[in-house]
Amino acid sequence: MNNVETIPATMLLKSYPRMCRLTGVQETMPESNEHFMNILQSIDSEKITQGAKYIVCILDAINSIPEKWKRPGINPRELFISRYIKGQKVQELAFDAGICTNTSRVIQKYSLNYFVEGYQQAKEKRGFTDLVSITASGNK
């Protein structure tokens, strides 16, 4: 077992915009699955850097968050992006989505768990074993 560091997912997400700037990935947040794929393909696999590896895994993980919630019209992936990438407050998100603050928190926890799982799977699938592992616990 290699001893790869484990950090809270939110720490990784906070550094995401900076990684995008450093690696020259223009779009920091894709709007659609097709857009995700275009960004992933634009990262040259021959010259893939540590930052690019993280970006690929983060995008894969965000893409693994379902877009459907028990209630129609609520998109967990969109809420996740708004909260963790764009930094919106829970109350604002709840208001925007027309749900109560507690429901917003539940959806965030749900999507964060999907994100962590998706990130781990992306790391393994792509063979990026040198990247830090993330955990949903300890996240605010």
Side-chain angles (χ1 to χ4, degrees):
M1 179 87 192
N2 54 5
N3 53 0
V4 175
E5 186 187 356
T6 300
I7 62 169
T10 49
M11 258 176 77
L12 179 70
L13 287 162
K14 281 188 178 109
S15 57
Y16 175 71
R18 189 168 165 264
M19 283 187 251
C20 286
R21 282 194 305 275
L22 292 174
T23 54
V25 175
Q26 296 303 308
E27 307 293 333
T28 51
M29 212 57 255
E31 289 89 54
S32 65
N33 283 354
E34 189 181 316
H35 199 181
F36 272 99
M37 298 321 296
N38 291 342
I39 292 173
L40 292 178
Q41 287 162 353
S42 75
I43 298 171
D44 185 351
S45 57
E46 290 303 304
K47 295 179 246 155
I48 204 156
T49 62
Q50 198 72 356
K53 285 181 185 180
Y54 279 113
I55 291 168
V56 166
C57 287
I58 288 169
L59 290 176
D60 274 354
I62 290 172
N63 211 14
S64 77
I65 299 169
E67 292 187 279
K68 300 263 183 280
W69 181 247
K70 294 171 209 154
R71 237 176 80 198
I74 297 172
N75 182 332
R77 188 185 302 167
E78 253 176 44
L79 282 178
F80 181 88
I81 291 168
S82 299
R83 169 71 181 90
Y84 294 109
I85 308 285
K86 297 177 181 165
Q88 270 189 285
K89 300 210 176 347
V90 177
Q91 292 81 351
E92 293 170 17
L93 290 174
F95 182 77
D96 290 349
I99 53 176
C100 73
T101 305
N102 286 347
T103 304
S104 180
R105 284 199 176 96
V106 167
I107 295 171
Q108 282 174 41
K109 197 172 185 72
Y110 163 85
S111 58
L112 192 62
N113 287 333
Y114 261 98
F115 175 79
V116 170
E117 183 66 28
Y119 173 84
Q120 294 303 122
Q121 286 174 354
K123 255 179 62 168
E124 288 165 23
K125 183 180 84 184
R126 296 178 181 276
F128 299 158
T129 52
D130 54 335
L131 301 186
V132 299
S133 291
I134 58 172
T135 176
S137 60
N139 286 299
K140 289 282 176 261

